[in-house]
Amino acid sequence: MQYIFIIAVIVAVIAVLFFITNNRVISYDKDWIRAVKRRAVNGDKKYIFEENGDIIIDNKKKLALIKAKNNKMAVYSNTDFINKFMLVFSAYGSIKVTFMEGYIVENDKLYYTYAYKSSYYKKLNDWMKNNGVFESKEVWAANKKVNWKTFPAPRENDINWEKKVLIGDIVKI
């Protein structure tokens, strides 16, 4: 009788441990890709979604799908010169940065997130103060020993999903 009780306790403990450690990660990537693949948007630029969800802009620039937040919102990676990221970096056209962008599909329209959370802008401002000087509100000059590798490029959790702008209608191609 004691053996049955001991075996029951062991089975119960194993079952509890299994459910505690078996954290499933829900992925919306397939849903997002299904919603956007072989689709295009003709806005100020032409956006074409590839089979894997990546975006080609004007047949020149490629944005890589990082992950879908849900079946209507996705995060993309964009590598570009820092002077295209912010006007204040206009003197540093040879520095490349990879940052995250958000894209949203609602009612057959594609939107782009154009801002980051205030916590990101504080982090960026602190980095700029530690690595250079503001000559004016719109002009920043880097120190001679600026370490660009420490530049706080925006990450996925820095995206402000509330700040979005319409790119255009998303249509099948």
Side-chain angles (χ1 to χ4, degrees):
M1 188 71 157
Q2 289 179 335
Y3 293 114
I4 294 172
F5 178 73
I6 292 171
I7 291 172
V9 169
I10 291 172
V11 168
V13 169
I14 290 172
V16 168
L17 288 175
F18 173 77
F19 287 113
I20 290 174
T21 59
N22 190 18
N23 295 334
R24 276 196 198 181
V25 176
I26 297 173
S27 174
Y28 294 98
D29 293 355
K30 288 181 183 176
D31 293 334
W32 173 262
I33 292 169
R34 194 173 318 126
V36 298
K37 73 178 179 182
R38 293 190 299 270
R39 297 194 182 256
V41 177
N42 289 314
D44 60 331
K45 298 176 182 173
K46 184 167 184 138
Y47 294 75
I48 297 175
F49 287 90
E50 294 186 315
E51 292 284 325
N52 63 358
D54 289 352
I55 303 173
I56 303 294
I57 302 174
D58 283 343
N59 292 321
K60 298 176 192 171
K61 185 167 190 59
K62 184 174 189 167
L63 303 183
L65 173 64
I66 299 301
K67 80 180 233 179
K69 300 288 281 177
N70 57 45
N71 49 350
K72 295 186 178 197
M73 299 165 37
V75 176
Y76 282 82
S77 170
N78 182 3
T79 300
D80 211 336
F81 293 101
I82 198 168
N83 62 337
K84 293 181 182 177
F85 174 57
M86 288 181 99
L87 203 54
V88 74
F89 296 115
S90 60
Y92 306 97
S94 64
I95 307 294
K96 278 197 165 188
V97 176
T98 299
F99 52 97
M100 303 295 149
E101 298 178 356
Y103 285 84
I104 304 165
V105 173
E106 288 178 348
N107 302 320
D108 293 324
K109 297 189 181 309
L110 182 68
Y111 296 85
Y112 162 76
T113 58
Y114 64 87
Y116 297 102
K117 294 177 183 172
S118 60
S119 57
Y120 170 73
Y121 290 117
K122 180 177 178 349
K123 191 174 13 175
L124 175 62
N125 193 40
D126 290 346
W127 181 89
M128 292 171 74
K129 285 180 180 176
N130 290 332
N131 288 281
V133 292
F134 287 95
E135 294 177 349
S136 72
K137 221 176 180 182
E138 296 165 358
V139 178
W140 178 79
N143 294 334
K144 290 182 192 230
K145 294 184 179 182
V146 63
N147 183 356
W148 287 104
K149 290 180 182 177
T150 63
F151 180 82
R155 308 309 323 146
E156 170 190 334
N157 57 348
D158 292 321
I159 296 171
N160 184 342
W161 293 96
E162 302 299 315
K163 303 273 185 168
K164 63 183 182 182
V165 65
L166 176 66
I167 295 173
D169 294 330
I170 187 165
V171 295
K172 288 185 178 182
I173 49 175

